[in-house]
Amino acid sequence: MAARKRGVSLSHNMFVAFVAVCTVAALVVTAASAYVYERAFLDDEHEQLAGECQTLASLLDSTDNDEEVLAGLSMGSLRATLVAPDGRVLFDSGADAAGLPNHADRPEVSGALATGTGSSERSSETVGYVSLYEARRLDSGDVLRISVDRAGAASFLTRDLVLLVVVAVCVVAASWGVSRLLVGRFVRPILEIDATRADASAPYEELEPLVSRLNEQRGELLERMSAIQDADDMRREFTANVTHELKTPIASISGASELIRDGICRPEDVRGFAGRIYDDARRLSSLVSDILMLSKLDETERVGDRTSLFGPDEQVDLLAVAHDVERRLAPKAARMGVTLHVEGVSYVIQGNARLLDELVSNLVENAIRYNREGGHVYVWVLPHDGRPSIRVSDTGIGIPGEAQKKVFERFYRVDKGRSRDMGGTGLGLAIVKHAAAFHDADVSLASKLGEGTSVTVTFP
């Protein structure tokens, strides 16, 4: 079995991110500070160097031999260069003037020749240093240039490397501690989200969709668990009811046939026992047929396939179905003193003819079974809210208000004794409900005790 892959740790990722950001920020700030410091330092040096160049130029303007004056001065770290208007180096305090190249193209020299003053800076021959140049045009037309080497940013960083390393280590250590603290504060509320509560709240606005979805899924899970429990309870109850309903006619058939077989019953009673066996056998057959029908409907709803068990849909005329049921059940209605009436218009829908016949038959049989002698059963095929519908109404005993929501449950009987006496299986209206659902139809019931019941099935 493959090992389960561990998820990515939010705390670890946040910690690494904080440390990395702090470290990079420290390095960037250090480099930026070095650059800013270098610029400020070099600008001050340029300003000071320009002042010294001006002072020295004033001195040279007051003498006749510039080279001799420059040679006699102690320049310290400064380097003085005297350049002729054509770029020839006349004097240099740091090198032999004869060996130096023409300086006419140097920015500070060309700037001084053009405007009177010039300034520039270039990388020094010494790594990490910058050469600063200030030049001024003399009254003689020559250019006096003074230069000095100063440490640049790279030199500062190299020279203070140990100090920078110590600072970087301190920054990383501080960022490690701060990151640990912040990660704990940020992640702890997330870990404290209680997904088992129906009203779990999000500690952060960004987590609101996730927590809301968890709450919704918890509600959906509870509903599904409740539905599964209800289905299991219904299955248990259905099994118990089926067992009981099957045992009753089987026991009656077994008892009557045993009496006939053993010759215990009188000859004149044989006909009565045979009739009982026949009636119970028919009842048993009807019950088995209804159970099989419900099982097929349940399977169809479960797999979502309408055609595998009942075949493809076809064009069915609802009024024709009602008339077929009327012809088939008219004798039974006559025996019970009930009159059947079928009225309406022809409505052709797409559906299953067998199921539609079962639906109408069960409604009409119930209307006959729970009617009064001399009563009426009306079957109307008419539009209802612009949709085709079948309504079956009777003038029978009616259904009590508290029982109206339960009559479509399997094996539910308002009057169990009367139902068995009348031959009902307790599955008729359950078949009606599922057959209507098969056709995406709506079922509504209206009843008043002592006046009658009306059931309307409205198709899409």
Side-chain angles (χ1 to χ4, degrees):
M1 183 177 178
R4 184 179 179 183
K5 185 178 179 181
R6 293 186 61 185
V8 179
S9 171
L10 175 62
S11 300
H12 175 75
N13 283 357
M14 291 180 66
F15 172 73
V16 172
F18 279 138
V19 171
V21 168
C22 291
T23 303
V24 172
L27 295 176
V28 171
V29 168
T30 300
S33 300
Y35 175 77
V36 171
Y37 174 76
E38 177 196 29
R39 286 311 325 158
F41 174 76
L42 294 181
D43 288 344
D44 289 342
E45 286 293 311
H46 268 294
E47 185 176 351
Q48 184 177 352
L49 193 62
E52 294 177 354
C53 184
Q54 182 179 0
T55 300
L56 189 55
S58 298
L59 175 63
L60 294 180
D61 284 338
S62 64
T63 62
D64 296 330
N65 193 339
D66 295 342
E67 290 89 343
E68 184 179 347
V69 173
L70 291 173
L73 295 175
S74 177
M75 303 297 293
S77 60
L78 298 180
R79 180 179 179 180
T81 305
L82 188 63
V83 182
D86 59 0
R88 288 180 300 107
V89 178
L90 302 176
F91 173 83
D92 190 277
S93 63
D96 182 11
L100 295 177
N102 191 287
H103 279 35
D105 60 343
R106 303 298 170 89
E108 67 281 0
V109 174
S110 60
L113 290 172
T115 64
T117 59
S119 177
S120 70
E121 58 186 55
R122 293 188 288 278
S123 296
S124 174
E125 296 178 357
T126 305
V127 177
Y129 284 80
V130 178
S131 295
L132 308 181
Y133 297 94
E134 289 292 336
R136 182 172 288 273
R137 188 178 61 213
L138 302 177
D139 293 342
S140 62
D142 296 338
V143 173
L144 172 66
R145 186 186 73 175
I146 296 179
S147 65
V148 66
D149 289 340
R150 290 290 182 256
S155 177
F156 292 146
L157 293 175
T158 304
R159 185 180 60 191
D160 299 328
L161 182 61
V162 175
L163 177 61
L164 291 175
V165 170
V166 172
V167 172
V169 170
C170 292
V171 169
V172 172
S175 65
W176 186 90
V178 173
S179 298
R180 279 291 182 195
L181 178 63
L182 292 178
V183 167
R185 292 187 61 185
F186 291 158
V187 175
R188 189 179 301 111
I190 299 176
L191 298 178
E192 291 175 353
I193 296 176
D194 188 359
T196 62
R197 294 177 52 188
D199 58 344
S201 58
Y204 304 114
E205 181 180 349
E206 292 77 7
L207 293 178
E208 187 63 39
L210 173 62
V211 176
S212 298
R213 184 56 185 154
L214 287 176
N215 290 336
E216 292 175 4
Q217 289 182 339
R218 182 182 181 278
E220 293 172 1
L221 182 60
L222 291 176
E223 290 179 2
R224 291 182 182 179
M225 291 175 62
S226 178
I228 292 173
Q229 183 62 46
D230 292 343
D232 186 62
D233 293 342
M234 185 180 296
R235 179 186 61 80
R236 293 175 184 272
E237 184 179 357
F238 181 72
T239 302
N241 285 329
V242 167
T243 302
H244 176 73
E245 294 292 337
L246 290 175
K247 281 183 176 180
T248 302
I250 289 175
S252 178
I253 292 172
S254 178
S257 59
E258 184 179 3
L259 291 175
I260 295 174
R261 183 199 65 186
D262 296 340
I264 297 176
C265 66
R266 294 176 298 178
E268 60 270 21
D269 293 331
V270 171
R271 185 179 180 86
F273 281 115
R276 182 187 301 177
I277 293 172
Y278 176 76
D279 291 340
D280 284 332
R282 289 189 60 187
R283 179 183 172 194
L284 187 61
S285 175
S286 177
L287 180 61
V288 170
S289 296
D290 287 348
I291 292 173
L292 291 176
M293 177 63 71
L294 273 176
S295 297
K296 287 184 177 182
L297 287 168
D298 286 341
E299 181 68 13
T300 299
E301 292 178 5
R302 186 182 68 83
V303 301
D305 184 0
R306 294 164 51 98
T307 61
S308 60
L309 295 177
F310 292 99
D313 289 347
E314 55 187 310
Q315 297 287 324
V316 182
D317 189 336
L318 294 178
L319 186 60
V321 171
H323 280 301
D324 288 342
V325 172
E326 177 192 23
R327 285 190 293 270
R328 191 167 63 249
L329 296 181
K332 180 177 181 179
R335 287 196 301 271
M336 299 186 67
V338 176
T339 304
L340 285 180
H341 308 271
V342 175
E343 302 289 344
V345 296
S346 178
Y347 254 122
V348 176
I349 67 169
Q350 192 76 12
N352 183 277
R354 178 187 173 191
L355 282 179
L356 290 171
D357 186 86
E358 283 279 347
L359 185 150
V360 179
S361 295
N362 279 293
L363 288 177
V364 174
E365 279 193 285
N366 262 23
I368 295 172
R369 184 177 297 118
Y370 297 103
N371 216 312
R372 309 172 187 274
E373 187 174 355
H376 297 268
V377 174
Y378 300 93
V379 182
W380 286 289
V381 180
L382 295 170
H384 179 71
D385 293 335
R387 297 158 59 189
S389 69
I390 293 180
R391 178 180 300 170
V392 178
S393 301
D394 62 62
T395 58
I397 60 176
I399 304 172
E402 66 275 8
Q404 292 182 15
K405 293 183 178 180
K406 301 179 181 179
V407 293
F408 291 98
E409 297 178 5
R410 302 174 190 197
F411 293 112
Y412 180 81
R413 295 184 178 92
V414 178
D415 185 346
K416 294 180 173 58
R418 178 183 175 92
S419 296
R420 288 198 176 94
D421 292 341
M422 302 302 293
T425 64
L427 296 175
L429 290 181
I431 292 175
V432 169
K433 182 180 74 172
H434 287 279
F438 181 93
H439 292 90
D440 298 322
D442 301 323
V443 180
S444 60
L445 180 145
S447 182
K448 192 170 183 180
L449 199 61
E451 295 185 9
T453 301
S454 177
V455 178
T456 303
V457 180
T458 307
F459 296 88

